[in-house]
Each structure stands twice: as C-alpha cells, then as structure tokens.
Amino acid sequence: MVRWQPGTSERLQAAALDLFASRGYEQTTAAEIAQSVGLTERTFFRHFSDKREVLFHGQEQLTEAFVGGVAAAPADATPMELVGVALDTAAELFPDERRSHSRLRQSVIGQNPALQERERHKMSVLASAMSDALRARGVAEPAATLAGQSAAMVFGVAFGQWLRDDEERSLADIQRELLAALRGLTGASPTG
Amino acid sequence: MVRWQPGTSERLQAAALDLFASRGYEQTTAAEIAQSVGLTERTFFRHFSDKREVLFHGQEQLTEAFVGGVAAAPADATPMELVGVALDTAAELFPDERRSHSRLRQSVIGQNPALQERERHKMSVLASAMSDALRARGVAEPAATLAGQSAAMVFGVAFGQWLRDDEERSLADIQRELLAALRGLTGASPTG
C-alpha cells in the first residue's frame, strides 16, 4: 500500500531547491533530496520521474491556468483580451509569497544549459497550447498563432522582471504593463 | 598548407542534408558526409566543428542580417518599423530557390528533439541580438525587449509557413502580412 502524505511533494521540492542552490544541480541526487527530509529515494520517485521534474512540476498547472483563462473569458472578448484574461489567471499561481522560491529556482536554472533548454521547451509548449485554446474559441489564423506566442512572450518577459531583486510589483501588474506596452508598440502611432 | 576551395562548405552541406534525410541524422557520420563528395573527414572538420553545425551554419549570417537591418533603417523609424526593415533584410537570405533546401533541412530537424532544441536556442539568441540592436538605436525598455522578441516570433512563424508544401508566397511577403496581422491584433479595434 502506497501512503501519499499531503505536502510531501512540496517538502521534496523545497529540499531539492535548497540542495540544488547550495551544492549544485548536477551534484545532487534524488536519494539525497529524499534523505534531507527523512524520506526514501522510492518515495521521491513516487512523486517525480527524475530530479529535473522537481523544477518543472508546475508546467501542467501553468498551461491549464492559461487555457482555462481563455475558456472562461467573456464571449465577445477580442483575441488580445483573451490573452489578457489568460495572463491574469496564470498570475494567480505566483503570489508574492512565492517570489523567493521562484528566484531560487531561476538561479538554479540559470546555471545549467540543459535546464534552460527545458525552460525554453516549456514556453514553446505553452505558446502552442494557448494558440490551440484561441482556435477553439474561434480565433482565425494567423491571429491565433501570433496571439498564443505573444501570450507566452509577455509571460516570459514579465516573469523575468518579477524575479529581479529590485522588483516589487506583482506579476499580474507587470504583465498588464507589458501587454499595454506591446499594444502601444505595435499600434500605428510612432513610439521611437 | 590548407587549401580552402570555394564552394566546399556548400557541397558538404548539400551532401549532409541528403544523407541526413535518406539515412537519418543519427546514422550519418562526418566521415561519410565528406566521402560522399570525395573529401576527407579532416576537410569536413576544417569547415564545421561537428555534423550538427552543418545544419546551423547560417545562424551568424541570419543574426547579422537582422542587426544590420536595424542599423541601416532611417533615423526616424519607430521600433516596429525597425523590426520590419530587419525582417526584410533577413528575408533576402532565403530566396525562393532556397526553399527546397530549407524544407529538407526542416524535415531533418523535425525528427530530432536535440536539433529542435538547437533551433529554439537559435531563435532565443536572435531575439536577444535584436533587442540589443534596438537598444543601441535608442529604443527604451520594455519596448526593445518586446520588439526584439516580436521580430523573432514573426520570423519563426513566417519561416514555418514559407516551408509548407502548398505555400508559394515569398518569405518577405509572408513576414509583412504577419507583421500587419500582429499590428491589427494588438491594436485597439476588436478582431474577434
């Protein structure tokens, strides 16, 4: 019988992040992560397929937030309004109390090219899922592809800004400012 | 003494692409590529650091075209006009007679996750280089970052469209249409 303790995933994630940050990602094993919180390697692998997945566990949840945001938006929303609702929904996954965790995670990823590539892949999956969701809402091509990619772009740039040491605005606020900046930039008026 | 024959890189590239497409990328060695056009492995490595680089040889030239386009644009150009000039300049690297070569290259990349990742990395380097070039032209943040990423996004989507079997428009035309669609999409008027 498998005992699934609530909070075990979160404990393993926190422990992994501490070890990755202090010892280095490559130097840390799944067994060491588990041991550091009094668990066995077997328990670790019941929660994560490998140590990399500890860092990318939230991918599905993130994609679901974006796609769910598109589905829940008002019927008369324009494509970019759908993007705006999706970004707002996704931002709820990253309240300010999560910022220090996300900063630590980013510092680990920033030191490892393979993890950076996994992060790029994640963003490309997110863009595709958003474009699919927009098509499902009746958005035609090429608007669906461009708006889906714009959503991932704004999220990526905003998330990087949110993690900066001197940044105190919420992710939602940063995203809204960037979306407005994108609209100003691509509109007809000169901004040079 | 090293003899550098004009056209040797191009011969090796064409031969590599044929072998990658017919035998598979993994199954083809640098020595086999060289032999298939009567050259030695040593000659191959004089031109390319490894067999993967045969497929990504044009990265620097592509980035230079984008950055050069930004530098050459009129002084009063808006950020998105700079992006437009950069895209037009880059499109000159892909005349229609290059389309079959690019299609074959894409089919090889499409079958190999590591090559897809190299392609994603290439696009991320391109976006950064564009943002740097825009900043050098006095574009402020976050406009420089967003416009740089938009340039890479439009190029990527347009390039994928250009490679489609039923597509006959030039890359420059597709890019212009997508840039106009992006402007329409992010403008204030409803397009849903």
Side-chain angles (χ1 to χ4, degrees), chain A residues 77-80 113 117 120-121 124 138-139 142-147 149-150 153-154 157 177-179 181-192, chain B residues 77-80 113 117 120-121 124 138-139 142-147 149-150 153-154 157 177-179 181-192:
Chain A
T78 66
M80 288 312 276
E117 126 63 3
R120 277 194 297 273
H121 182 247
S124 123
V139 178
T145 296
L146 292 171
Q149 296 222 6
S150 297
M153 172 175 93
V154 168
V157 176
E177 288 188 30
L178 286 179
L179 202 56
L182 183 63
R183 284 171 167 243
L185 191 62
T186 54
S189 62
T191 47
Chain B
T78 66
M80 289 311 277
E117 128 60 6
R120 278 194 297 273
H121 182 248
S124 122
V139 177
T145 297
L146 292 171
Q149 295 221 6
S150 297
M153 172 175 92
V154 168
V157 176
E177 287 188 33
L178 287 178
L179 202 57
L182 181 64
R183 284 171 166 239
L185 191 61
T186 54
S189 61
T191 47

Side-chain angles (χ1 to χ4, degrees), chain A:
Chain A
M1 241 187 72
V2 174
R3 283 185 308 160
W4 186 283
Q5 291 194 312
T8 305
S9 286
E10 290 72 15
R11 279 168 66 210
L12 285 166
Q13 274 187 297
L17 216 45
D18 282 341
L19 288 171
F20 291 164
S22 58
R23 289 191 200 176
Y25 172 78
E26 295 290 355
Q27 287 71 44
T28 304
T29 67
E32 287 165 348
I33 296 165
Q35 282 159 23
S36 76
V37 286
L39 296 168
T40 64
E41 190 179 6
R42 230 177 111 183
T43 304
F44 179 94
F45 287 114
R46 231 179 267 145
H47 291 267
F48 302 103
S49 60
D50 56 39
K51 70 175 179 178
R52 195 181 65 168
E53 284 317 298
V54 178
L55 293 167
F56 295 96
H57 192 51
Q59 159 102 55
E60 270 180 45
Q61 229 186 324
L62 178 65
T63 304
E64 277 167 22
F66 270 91
V67 168
V70 171
D76 61 348
T78 66
M80 288 312 276
E81 284 167 358
L82 294 173
V83 167
V85 176
L87 287 165
D88 281 347
T89 311
E92 290 170 19
L93 296 175
F94 303 96
D96 281 346
E97 56 268 30
R98 205 178 155 76
R99 192 163 354 202
S100 61
H101 169 97
S102 293
R103 279 181 180 142
L104 199 55
R105 176 181 175 279
Q106 201 59 39
S107 75
V108 172
I109 290 177
Q111 284 162 33
N112 186 306
L115 296 176
Q116 287 162 32
E117 126 63 3
R118 179 71 177 74
E119 189 80 340
R120 277 194 297 273
H121 182 247
K122 180 175 128 179
M123 298 308 283
S124 123
V125 168
L126 178 62
S128 296
M130 267 299 286
S131 297
D132 288 346
L134 291 165
R135 273 187 290 268
R137 284 282 310 236
V139 178
E141 289 299 354
T145 296
L146 292 171
Q149 296 222 6
S150 297
M153 172 175 93
V154 168
F155 173 76
V157 176
F159 196 73
Q161 181 63 38
W162 184 64
L163 296 180
R164 289 201 177 197
D165 281 341
D166 55 351
E167 182 57 71
E168 295 186 349
R169 288 171 297 168
S170 69
L171 180 59
D173 283 347
I174 300 170
Q175 286 183 154
R176 283 193 206 114
E177 288 188 30
L178 286 179
L179 202 56
L182 183 63
R183 284 171 167 243
L185 191 62
T186 54
S189 62
T191 47

